[in-house]
Amino acid sequence: MRTRYSAWNLLAAAARRGNWAPAWRDAEPKRRYDVVIIGGGGHGLSTAYYLARNHGVRNVAIVEAGWIGGGNTGRNTTIIRSNYLYPESARLYEHSMRLYEGLSRELNFNIMFSQRGIVTIAHTRHDLDAQSRWANAMRCNGIDADLLDVDQLRELVPRLNFGGDARFPIHGGFIQRRAGPARHDAVAWGYARGASALGVDIIQSCPVTGFIMDAGRVTGVKTPRGDIRAEKVAMAVSGHSTVLARMAGFRLPITSYALQAMVSEPVKPVLDTVVLSPAVGAYWSQSDKGEVVIGGALDLFPSYAQRGSYGVTQQVLAATLEMFPSFSRLRMLRQWAGIVDVVQDSSPIIGPAPVPGLYINCGWGTGGFKAIPVGGWTLAHLLATGRNHELAEPFQLERFKTGRLIDEAAAAGIAH
Amino acid sequence: MMQIRCPVCGPRSEGEFHFGGPSHLQRPPLTCDDETWGAYMFFRDNPKGDHAERWRHTFGCGRWFNIVRNTETHQVKAIYAITDPRPEATL
């Protein structure tokens, strides 16, 4: 029994006292599939969904070591934006934003995408110049961006520290109004439900321990629940990409770092946009539950421990109090970290792996959540057609040989 | 939060140090092809486990040194001079 979510079905379910059908099937692995996707995070789930929905490839399995959406999909601060500088990135992330804008309707699952805007603050004359360039580049790429003066900022975010003695004086900023947070679990569950309904097997608690190779080609995966063979194998495992690559016998230009975030206790509405201060390296939003959600910089040493260092926690909280003095009495509720796959040019890799039969989606670093729809869209295209999607063409592994990097870290100055 | 034993200053808190990348990378000759150079510049082992890496006691004596550290537990297994090879026992 599958249920379409609607106001009518909600009323009907209340009348028969609940018992909703499970949103997706928890499948047992079959011996063979057309495509096996390693990683049941947002990117893996959306890849499976678009494989089935856009390309009719339904004999697909997702194998997930833990539970779906339990890695970085459930460990980020859920900000969706497309405020990038280079045309290649702008096209990629804007496509993702558009897919997100229609996703609740597409999946019949409310992902609670709230387009409340992201404000980037300028603290110096140099910041103002750099942000004018940045916002103008976005507009040239057809993406919304508006420069803000101090009065407009004060109206939007009255709790910011506008005091004359502020250590980081506020001179202005810019806003992408279509940006905003969504509910991360809903994105994972919505894609899982959609993919499962189209016939995809979602297999949880099934870590991949090795690859099955035939004549130098990947033809399946080894798991504690048996070998699973496939025509094609894809991996979308963020911070663990190099671990899997090593099993398949190649290297990646990736370093894994812990990225932490934290939330306060829930309070009444105090902040109705997302605010980012590149100078202090932190950003803030308020969840629908009322928690102030705080993100900051990476712990700057390689780590596979899903917890952040106290030193960075302290810096992020110090920055928070500097920018929002009235938050000083907030009690913190939770702090956590995800393991992110950072590439030198802060741009993703979506394409064939150096080993035939294997395809990779990785390198999103600290900004993978916003790219879940497009990561799946482009990888599904590659798996189904054997050709790179045009949006993914610039984001190949090859660029680390040719030198054609897309250096968003240096260009947009985005920590992502 | 790690405690790292600086070879000069003794045990100090992580916040006084900076991570300076993996140790023992060998630069290929400048006449090498693009692929070799790209591999040297960008590709990393990035192990989940023991990792030889360079750290600097930036907010202390300023000394660079090598450590072998487990990237999953953050346990430091060995500390040795910046020019020394990785200790056999940690390989």
Side-chain angles (χ1 to χ4, degrees), chain B residues 2-5 67-70 74-79:
Chain B
M2 291 184 285
Q3 193 180 59
I4 298 172
R5 182 177 292 276
I67 73 178
V68 175
R69 185 182 60 94
N70 185 298
H74 295 180
Q75 189 195 353
V76 176
K77 304 274 184 74
I79 295 179

Side-chain angles (χ1 to χ4, degrees), chain A residues 239-240 242-243 246 251-257 299-305 307-311 344 397 399-402 405, chain B residues 1-2 14 18-19 25 34-49 51 53 55 69-74:
Chain A
H240 281 69
T242 48
V243 176
R246 179 181 291 210
R251 296 168 89 210
L252 285 169
I254 284 177
T255 304
S256 298
Y257 295 96
D299 290 11
L300 283 174
F301 53 87
S303 175
Y304 284 87
R307 54 188 155 81
S309 257
Y310 181 63
Q344 285 283 338
L397 204 47
R399 71 181 189 268
F400 299 97
K401 184 170 83 182
T402 62
L405 303 184
Chain B
M1 194 93 180
M2 291 184 285
E14 171 194 315
H18 272 130
F19 166 74
L25 295 184
D34 289 350
E35 188 159 3
T36 312
W37 187 252
Y40 163 68
M41 287 289 282
F42 303 117
F43 287 67
R44 298 290 176 256
D45 288 337
N46 191 35
K48 182 177 189 174
H51 186 223
E53 52 196 27
W55 284 72
R69 185 182 60 94
N70 185 298
T71 56
E72 210 177 352
T73 62
H74 295 180

Side-chain angles (χ1 to χ4, degrees), chain A residues 1 3-21:
Chain A
M1 181 180 72
T3 313
R4 192 173 163 75
Y5 299 142
S6 68
W8 171 251
N9 277 341
L10 188 63
L11 281 172
R16 16 166 244 274
R17 293 181 185 261
N19 285 346
W20 288 86

Side-chain angles (χ1 to χ4, degrees), chain A residues 59-71:
Chain A
N59 186 20
V60 175
I62 294 170
V63 291
E64 161 59 42
W67 63 95
I68 59 166

Side-chain angles (χ1 to χ4, degrees), chain A residues 2 124 252 329 376:
Chain A
R2 220 179 90 69
T124 63
L252 285 169
R329 289 294 174 268

